[in-house]
Amino acid sequence: MKSKEKGSSKSDKSSNPFLAKQWNGSNPNETEEEAQTRVRQLQEAQRVSKEIDHNLSETKKALEKRRRGVKILLLGQSESGKSSVLKNFQRAFAPKHFESERAVWKTIIQLNIIASLRLIIETLKAEWEPSGGSAYPTTSTSSEAAGGPGRKLRRLRLTLSPLFFIEANILKLISPGCKECREVCVRGTEWKTLLSKRPRLPPPGSADFGLTARRRSQSVINHENDPTSVLCASRDEIIDLWEDPVVQETLERRGVYLQQMPGFFMSDIARIATPEYLPTDSDIVRARIRTVGVEEHHFVVERGVDTNSDVYITDVGGSRSQRATWVPYFDDVQAILFLAPLAFNQTLQEAVRVNRLEDSLLLWREICSSKLLAKANLILFFNKMDVLKTTLAAGVQVKNEM
Ligand SMILES: Nc1nc2c(ncn2[C@@H]2O[C@H](COP(=O)(O)OP(=O)(O)OP(=O)(O)O)[C@@H](O)[C@H]2O)c(=O)[nH]1
Ligand SMILES: [Mg+2]
């Protein structure tokens, strides 16, 4: 706008509405009131125009910054470890940024535990109450001696039911579109803000604890959206449940291998179910949250030779139904990091007959043959080496699985 005014000719000036004369009674077709309205409208138009100029200039700056930054696209099937790599990048290059998000991961880890508990209870229910009644296993067990597994299960469900209520509340908050989600799934990064802003009780012992607790009763706040107190109160029962040999045997017989599932924290309950718990770096990397859609994460490198460089990492949801949404993001990346987990005896969650390694191979071929990626640097990253080692050590053979 400005430059146009500067360079405008005399005749331009006469047609420029911003330079139009104010009312002086010389225009017989315009009352004073009309002239004031016209001037106000012109001033408003000028304000809007300046705002648009400012936004355009900011967008241009951001685009220029982005153009100079490092841009990486993470690809791979669901559960291949894309979001975990992103967390590891942030931990290594932007530790302050990583630290600032530590508290929100606590809730995700708690949700991971609640999801495991739900799966255990559903499995036990299918075993012990196959028709919703009170059918008991036929073998005599220590659980039976303690009052029968059916009763134990009912007591457990009662004790843990507040956790499922809180879980539903948190999921409503951070993934409202995911009505039937069996695990935490999020779109974008807003969930971190939503989680950190939700009202909660401060940790017991802190200066604000008494104050907040007086304003609202502890049970109301906790029952709404913070599982900490219920988890702490049920800690011994959860540990007992997890360590019960009958439960372990039932899970194994029904093919529920929680240890191999993402977001497994059942062996860490004693450490996690405490009011003071803050996740360790390893907890954060292991926490499972399913990515939905495509999200760009921006951070500034805080240390090393590239300090102050802008890094843009695009993370995508890897399940089969989401892969079609990747293509528009192939443009404009310097490198694609393709994650191929070496879990050769596992199948896809969304297609239980498809071997993970075979799926990775097909996907990798598709990516490599994409004309849109002809100029991109492709990095193939074999992931989950520890899973490969454990699987091989257990005697599982590749030739029998693929
Ligand atoms: N054992 C083991 N687990 C890993 C490794 N890398 C990632 N994981 C776990 O695998 C699970 C899935 O990892 P994510 O990073 O969430 O997978 P993703 O590719 O982002 O999955 P989507 O978001 O569904 O596309 C998480 O619980 C991780 O902790 C690894 O090297 N070894
Ligand atoms: Mg992910």
Side-chain angles (χ1 to χ4, degrees), residues 163-332:
L163 285 176
F164 304 124
F165 171 74
I166 297 168
E167 178 195 36
N169 276 348
I170 302 176
L171 291 181
K172 239 185 269 165
L173 181 74
I174 62 173
S175 49
C178 230
K179 290 202 175 69
E180 293 298 320
C181 284
R182 308 289 294 168
E183 60 180 344
V184 199
C185 56
V186 289
R187 191 181 281 278
T189 51
E190 210 202 341
W191 64 272
K192 290 180 183 166
T193 321
L194 290 170
L195 272 188
S196 50
K197 278 192 182 156
R198 98 205 114 126
R200 263 174 314 157
L201 272 183
S206 72
D208 294 336
F209 177 74
L211 191 69
T212 318
R214 272 198 300 280
R215 281 198 200 120
R216 288 180 78 192
S217 83
Q218 177 171 351
S219 61
V220 170
I221 293 180
N222 285 350
H223 277 74
E224 278 171 3
N225 51 26
D226 188 348
T228 307
S229 64
V230 184
L231 268 178
C232 295
S234 338
R235 181 176 51 188
D236 292 345
E237 257 167 313
I238 298 174
I239 294 173
D240 273 357
L241 170 75
W242 178 242
E243 291 179 352
D244 188 330
V246 179
V247 173
Q248 288 292 338
E249 188 265 324
T250 309
L251 292 174
E252 199 180 320
R253 188 157 30 79
R254 291 206 162 236
V256 179
Y257 300 106
L258 273 172
Q259 288 91 333
Q260 293 177 14
M261 291 183 186
F264 172 74
F265 288 98
M266 290 303 292
S267 299
D268 300 280
I269 299 291
R271 179 174 63 86
I272 294 175
T274 63
E276 306 77 27
Y277 167 70
L278 249 194
T280 62
D281 289 4
S282 155
D283 290 345
I284 295 175
V285 175
R286 279 164 53 212
R288 166 65 174 161
I289 190 162
R290 177 185 284 272
T291 311
V292 179
V294 176
E295 53 193 51
E296 185 176 86
H297 297 257
H298 167 233
F299 62 90
V300 180
V301 177
E302 292 167 15
R303 60 185 182 200
V305 281
D306 293 316
T307 302
N308 292 331
S309 303
D310 289 285
V311 178
Y312 298 83
I313 300 187
T314 304
D315 188 12
V316 300
S319 59
R320 286 188 152 192
S321 60
Q322 297 193 65
R323 294 177 193 171
T325 61
W326 298 354
V327 179
Y329 300 87
F330 285 180
D331 228 9
D332 185 36

